[in-house]
Amino acid sequence: MPHPLSLTAMAAAAVLLAACSKPAEKSEDIRPVRAIVLQSSDVDVNAEFSGEVRPRVESRLGFRVGGKIISRKVDVGTQVKRGQVLMQLDPQDLKLAQTQALASLRAAETNRDFALAELKRYQELREKNFVSQAILDSKSSAYKAADATVDSSRAVLAGQANQTGYSTLEADIDGVVTAVDAEVGQVVAPGTPVVRVAKSGEKEIVIGVPEDKVDVLRKIEDVQVRLWANPNETAPGKIREVSPIADSATRTYTFKVTIPPSMADAKLGMTAVVQFASKTAAPQIKVPLTALFHEKSATSVWVVENGAVKLVPVTVGGAAGNELVLNSGVKAGQQVVTAGVHLLKPGQKVKVLDEPAPQKAQPQPQPNSKAAAGASK
């Protein structure tokens, strides 16, 4: 007879062997995906960019002649009128050159008067046949040369007088001084900008637009501008200029938007916001390019329903920026997979990552969502 302990051990071993022989339960394959809820909207473009209020016209004024600055009449922020003196150079050397030109003119006039008197005397002698015609012609030529020298000297004197006048820098427009780039005692070369004057009345907002938005935004006519200091007041703007070259530092394209005269409180240097808006003729449904699933010649999207996905054929109507417009196949409110579309199969269970939270502003969201789910079924 076997020992009772041996029978117990054999029974326990049999139970363990039976437990090991049971097949393991298969875990359900649930793939994580990213998805969006489709929305139908007639808004085609809605973008805002911040910028700076700048003058429409800003003159960088400089002396036409070189010299040492001896006087500065304005500071930054000074309101100036056309013809008002801004800076002065030391005119001593210019005045000496003008005096020299005046002396040359007087000498030329003396030579001309002498040549004229000689011409008259020889004309009288020629009438009496005391001199030949050749001598009279030489005196006439001498007078014409002397008269031309007078004209030349007079022009030199006028030019030198202008040079002397250029030692005084005057404002060429009515405006405000925005910068002073030189100080008293500094020696400047001709044409070096020393004062910046912004023209009064005309202002604009300068913004930087990314390269993928340039072609879309430049065609929009509905442009609104507002100041950061007064966000409740908006006014219509107009795109005046689009830079054809991207900025070397920011790699954005410069847009200049004019400010209407009604924004009288806009001051230079203020922060402003430019808003671009456009609408389509009919509401559209847009999805990112990654939501499309291409199989042979068909284009489809994965629609999430009750935690599983199904393949729905769609018709693409065109591109809208970085998104595609769907003309048919789906409707607003459906949830569409946007990442991982090539790893799915019909009926597969999925888990949506970063699922959007329901909007609190909508009253009674639960009954509405259940009704929508029932209608889809």
Side-chain angles (χ1 to χ4, degrees):
M1 291 292 294
H3 195 274
L5 293 177
S6 299
L7 294 175
T8 303
M10 293 174 61
V15 170
L16 292 175
L17 290 174
C20 294
S21 63
K22 290 183 178 180
E25 296 182 358
K26 294 183 179 180
S27 60
E28 189 175 9
D29 183 17
I30 300 179
R31 285 195 175 275
V33 296
R34 296 190 183 276
I36 60 172
V37 178
L38 299 181
Q39 296 180 354
S40 178
S41 174
D42 60 351
V43 176
D44 188 22
V45 177
N46 188 6
E48 288 187 354
F49 298 91
S50 60
E52 179 186 359
V53 178
R54 295 184 184 176
R56 167 72 171 79
V57 177
E58 184 179 25
S59 299
R60 298 191 176 190
L61 306 180
F63 292 99
R64 298 189 185 185
V65 295
K68 180 180 179 180
I69 300 176
I70 61 173
S71 177
R72 177 165 68 87
K73 304 293 186 181
V74 294
D75 297 315
V76 175
T78 303
Q79 295 286 339
V80 297
K81 298 292 183 180
R82 182 183 180 91
Q84 182 176 338
V85 177
L86 306 177
M87 282 189 180
Q88 288 181 323
L89 295 177
D90 184 1
Q92 187 63 33
D93 293 340
L94 298 174
K95 289 182 177 180
L96 291 175
Q98 184 179 357
T99 302
Q100 180 181 5
L102 179 59
S104 298
L105 174 60
R106 290 175 178 174
E109 290 175 343
T110 301
N111 292 334
R112 181 199 59 186
D113 295 341
F114 177 76
L116 179 59
E118 283 282 296
L119 177 60
K120 290 181 178 180
R121 285 196 298 267
Y122 275 84
Q123 286 176 343
E124 294 176 356
L125 293 175
R126 177 56 185 163
E127 291 176 357
K128 299 177 181 180
N129 205 21
F130 288 163
V131 293
S132 64
Q133 184 64 35
I135 296 177
L136 180 61
D137 292 342
S138 66
K139 296 301 180 179
S140 177
S141 299
Y143 168 72
K144 292 180 180 179
D147 189 57
T149 303
V150 170
D151 294 338
S152 175
S153 299
R154 186 177 291 113
V156 171
L157 177 61
Q160 195 58 50
N162 290 339
Q163 294 288 309
T164 304
Y166 294 154
S167 63
T168 300
L169 181 62
E170 298 178 351
D172 56 353
I173 56 175
D174 296 341
V176 60
V177 177
T178 58
V180 177
D181 300 325
E183 294 295 337
V184 175
Q186 183 175 343
V187 177
V188 294
T192 303
V194 294
V195 178
R196 300 182 192 179
V197 178
K199 188 175 182 180
S200 299
E202 300 182 60
K203 302 183 184 70
E204 61 189 10
I205 300 175
V206 179
I207 61 175
V209 176
E211 57 186 24
D212 61 334
K213 303 288 185 182
V214 173
D215 293 335
V216 176
L217 297 183
R218 74 194 310 166
K219 301 176 183 178
I220 295 179
E221 297 182 357
D222 185 6
V223 181
Q224 299 292 324
V225 297
R226 67 178 185 271
L227 300 176
W228 181 82
N230 189 9
N232 297 326
E233 181 182 352
T234 61
K238 184 178 181 181
I239 300 175
R240 184 185 66 83
E241 179 182 309
V242 178
S243 174
I245 303 175
D247 185 86
S248 58
T250 62
R251 305 309 304 167
T252 58
Y253 288 78
T254 300
F255 275 52
K256 295 183 179 180
V257 181
T258 58
I259 298 178
S262 59
M263 298 187 69
D265 55 344
K267 297 180 177 59
L268 299 180
M270 276 188 167
T271 302
V273 176
V274 180
Q275 182 179 16
F276 300 86
S278 66
K279 295 184 178 181
T280 58
Q284 296 178 339
I285 295 178
K286 301 177 183 178
V287 296
L289 182 62
T290 55
L292 298 185
F293 178 74
H294 300 281
E295 186 177 15
K296 297 181 180 179
S297 60
T299 302
S300 308
V301 295
W302 293 102
V303 176
V304 181
E305 289 185 357
N306 301 324
V309 295
K310 68 175 183 178
L311 198 61
V312 177
V314 294
T315 303
V316 179
N322 295 327
E323 296 180 318
L324 297 176
V325 178
L326 301 184
N327 289 342
S328 63
V330 291
K331 60 183 179 179
Q334 290 183 311
Q335 197 172 25
V336 172
V337 177
T338 59
V341 296
H342 296 287
L343 302 177
L344 302 176
K345 57 184 179 180
Q348 184 171 6
K349 297 291 185 178
V350 295
K351 178 184 178 182
V352 179
L353 302 177
D354 298 331
E355 189 171 3
Q359 297 181 0
K360 297 181 179 180
Q362 296 180 355
Q364 300 179 355
Q366 295 298 332
N368 293 339
S369 60
K370 290 181 180 180
S376 63
K377 292 180 180 179

